[in-house]
Amino acid sequence: MQVTEKVTVIGAGSWGTALAMVLADNNHEVRLWSHNSMQVEEINQSHTNKKYLPEILLPEKIVGYALLEEALSGVDTIILAVPTKAIREVLRQIYSIQKTPLTIVHVSKGIEPDTLLRISEMIEEEAPVNLLKDIVVLSGPSHAEEVSLRHPTTV
């Protein structure tokens, strides 16, 4: 089966890791970025993320990255799976590196406490106009644990 797209998941918590699994199961080339190099080492060597998804074996297709520049290289789509409070900081890092337009799929819930902006509005404010292809929202009644166990769920 042919790889369909390179996708970088920004944030290797339970939700980001579970969504990386869904992407890998659907034959995408999946890069999973974490700011924690020890976590990246575990993902790449043991194919686990025990802090967030104990007892789950990750597909070998998921490759962990500690360097954001490497994780973004050649990617047109990112899954933004960081806590709402980190969205702006992470976007600023991404756009200090990224030189081609991105589709951003955001999967975090919540609003920005000080401004009451939705995440999509935060993305619009932070992204240079020429570097934002599209904003996509993924939501639904599902949990990372269910998704990682491949239980039927909806998003």
Side-chain angles (χ1 to χ4, degrees):
M1 188 177 255
Q2 182 177 335
V3 171
T4 53
E5 190 173 348
K6 283 183 201 176
V7 180
T8 298
V9 179
I10 305 292
S14 58
W15 196 219
T17 303
L19 292 173
M21 292 177 67
V22 172
L23 290 163
D25 287 350
N26 284 280
N27 215 37
H28 294 283
E29 179 184 319
V30 184
R31 300 168 180 197
L32 182 56
W33 176 82
S34 173
H35 62 87
N36 181 329
S37 60
M38 300 277 291
Q39 183 184 30
V40 169
E41 187 176 320
E42 177 190 346
I43 289 165
N44 290 336
Q45 292 182 1
S46 303
H47 306 290
T48 59
N49 190 352
K50 290 182 181 179
K51 178 178 179 181
Y52 294 101
L53 292 174
E55 311 298 321
I56 300 295
L57 187 63
L58 304 178
E60 291 186 18
K61 290 181 188 176
I62 297 173
V63 178
Y65 287 82
L67 296 175
L68 190 55
E69 188 167 4
E70 290 179 4
L72 293 172
S73 178
V75 169
D76 295 323
T77 302
I78 65 169
I79 309 295
L80 191 57
V82 298
T84 302
K85 66 182 180 183
I87 296 277
R88 286 190 188 273
E89 178 187 337
V90 170
L91 284 170
R92 288 175 187 144
Q93 290 176 31
I94 289 168
Y95 282 112
S96 73
I97 297 166
Q98 191 67 20
K99 302 302 177 217
T100 58
L102 285 172
T103 295
I104 299 177
V105 181
H106 76 80
V107 301
S108 302
K109 55 186 170 179
I111 58 174
E112 189 172 34
D114 294 336
T115 65
L116 302 180
L117 293 177
R118 296 183 320 271
I119 295 169
S120 55
E121 293 172 312
M122 295 165 61
I123 294 168
E124 286 178 330
E125 280 191 359
E126 292 297 331
V129 175
N130 63 327
L131 295 181
L132 182 61
K133 251 193 228 178
D134 208 356
I135 299 171
V136 179
V137 179
L138 178 74
S139 66
S142 58
H143 294 275
E145 298 77 17
E146 295 169 340
V147 172
S148 67
L149 292 168
R150 297 174 173 90
H151 289 173
T153 188
T154 303
V155 291

